[in-house]
């Protein structure tokens, strides 16, 4: 294993692709396997926060306050109620960060400066990003060692990805040379349709070995779990969605182990 932890960002500027679901379940499953994990909710919608059972409006501190220097990052970290899993919650105020940071020096590197020291405490830091390529997502790309890119198995799956790839290339060139895509994860896969097979074939042709072996099926339990404030791996561990996310977490661990050799 690496001497310090890995910092992964879950990114896709397209909404509704299973990004938050992936971030929450990956974090929960890695923690369930005994690794120390910090989930960072960097999305103003705060779905990762509520997905772990917290109301964003009832918490003492959050990521916005950290970014505004109103509290330390250590003060914003809360126990998730699950062994080995901690959370930095989000708030709706994060929606104004682009404007608030307009004149800030080194504004793209703020999250990296805050999170990198925490890699000594956590084996995995996972950032859930907004469905946009704004400053919060750029900060996540600059901070991260690797990227998880969820892609919905639908007709327009690859649409808009060219802009994400361009942004990743620019960040790699100017701010984070070691940034790489770890895994592209196909989500909401319906084996009953020919479309699912076609999209999978197209994505695997485009990304090659970067595409995860595991495919997340369309599964009602995955959709139900957040309303109970739980990851699906906890809500219904034997459901098809939970089994798939457990397998995906194992793939991520294997990739991390291979990278640290």
């Amino acid at each position: 294993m690496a001497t310090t932890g890995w910092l992964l960002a879950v990114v896709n500027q397209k909404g509704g692709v299973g990004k938050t679901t992936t971030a929450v379940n990956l974090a929960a499953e890695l923690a369930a396997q005994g690794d120390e994990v910090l989930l960072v909710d960097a999305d103003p919608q705060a779905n990762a926060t509520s997905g772990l059972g917290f109301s964003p409006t009832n918490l003492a501190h959050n990521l916005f306050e950290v970014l505004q220097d109103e509290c330390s990052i250590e003060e914003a970290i809360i126990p998730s109620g699950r062994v080995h899993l901690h959370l930095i919650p989000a708030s709706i105020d994060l929606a104004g960060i682009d404007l608030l940071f307009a004149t800030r020096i080194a504004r793209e590197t703020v999250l990296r400066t805050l999170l990198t020291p925490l890699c000594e405490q956590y084996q995995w830091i996972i950032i859930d990003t907004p469905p946009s390529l704004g400053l919060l997502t750029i900060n996540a790309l600059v901070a991260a060692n690797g990227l998880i890119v969820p892609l919905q198995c639908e007709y327009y799956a690859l649409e808009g990805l060219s802009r994400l790839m361009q942004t990743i290339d620019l960040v790699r060139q100017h701010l984070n040379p070691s940034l790489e895509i770890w895994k592209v994860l196909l989500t909401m896969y319906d084996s009953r349709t020919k479309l699912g097979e076609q999209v999978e074939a197209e994505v695997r042709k485009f990304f090659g070995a970067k595409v995860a072996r595991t495919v997340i099926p369309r599964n009602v339990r995955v959709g139900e779990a957040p309303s109970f404030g739980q990851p699906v791996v906890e809500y219904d561990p034997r459901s098809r969605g939970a089994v798939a996310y457990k397998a995906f977490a194992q793939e991520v661990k294997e990739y991390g182990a291979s990278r640290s050799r």
Side-chain angles (χ1 to χ4, degrees):
M1 274 299 292
T3 52
T4 59
W6 294 112
L7 211 160
L8 303 181
V10 184
V11 297
N12 191 331
Q13 81 271 27
K14 197 170 187 295
V17 299
K19 186 162 46 58
T20 298
T21 300
T22 296
V24 168
N25 281 284
L26 176 59
E29 181 55 29
L30 290 169
Q33 293 184 22
D35 291 351
E36 294 298 327
V37 183
L38 175 64
L39 177 61
V40 181
D41 191 351
D43 185 349
Q45 297 174 90
N47 289 334
T49 301
S50 59
L52 287 181
F54 296 94
S55 170
T57 57
N58 292 338
L59 298 169
H61 301 293
N62 55 56
L63 182 61
F64 178 78
E65 293 180 11
V66 176
L67 295 176
Q68 288 291 90
D69 297 321
E70 294 173 9
C71 74
S72 69
I73 195 159
E74 289 80 10
E75 287 176 306
I77 297 172
I78 60 173
S80 71
R82 297 145 181 96
V83 181
H84 305 302
L85 179 60
H86 287 79
L87 169 71
I88 297 180
S91 78
I92 188 64
D93 297 320
L94 285 171
I97 281 295
D98 283 39
L99 188 60
L100 291 168
F101 273 24
T103 58
R104 184 157 175 170
I105 302 298
R107 57 184 183 157
E108 298 90 355
T109 62
V110 174
L111 211 50
R112 178 168 68 187
T113 302
L114 290 165
L115 293 177
T116 299
L118 297 177
C119 289
E120 300 292 335
Q121 297 169 234
Y122 296 98
Q123 287 164 276
W124 304 94
I125 298 176
I126 297 169
I127 310 172
D128 184 34
T129 62
S132 72
L133 290 177
L135 194 55
L136 285 167
T137 300
I138 298 297
N139 263 265
L141 294 177
V142 173
N145 305 118
L147 304 177
I148 307 294
V149 183
L151 275 184
Q152 187 178 355
C153 290
E154 60 165 26
Y155 184 72
Y156 295 112
L158 292 172
E159 188 181 82
L161 263 190
S162 59
R163 189 168 167 227
L164 175 62
M165 300 305 291
Q166 288 169 0
T167 303
I168 291 169
D169 285 340
L170 284 170
V171 169
R172 193 182 289 125
Q173 287 172 35
H174 300 287
L175 294 163
N176 185 2
S178 63
L179 181 65
E180 66 164 318
I181 293 175
W182 274 31
K183 294 291 176 183
V184 175
L185 177 66
L186 291 163
T187 63
M188 305 179 203
Y189 181 83
D190 191 339
S191 59
R192 299 169 300 178
T193 67
K194 191 123 183 103
L195 177 62
E197 293 178 11
Q198 291 171 343
V199 170
E200 180 176 5
E202 189 176 358
V203 172
R204 291 192 186 279
K205 182 180 177 183
F206 188 83
F207 284 104
K210 292 289 185 187
V211 183
R213 298 186 303 272
T214 306
V215 174
I216 308 300
R218 189 174 290 280
N219 178 241
V220 67
R221 291 292 192 244
V222 174
E224 286 176 355
S227 65
F228 291 89
Q230 292 179 290
V232 72
V233 293
E234 178 184 305
Y235 174 67
D236 188 350
R238 290 185 292 183
S239 66
R240 290 192 308 130
V243 170
Y245 270 117
K246 289 177 183 181
F248 177 64
Q250 194 57 42
E251 275 195 64
V252 171
K253 284 191 74 164
E254 288 169 6
Y255 190 81
S258 72
R259 289 276 280 101
S260 61
R261 290 189 190 117

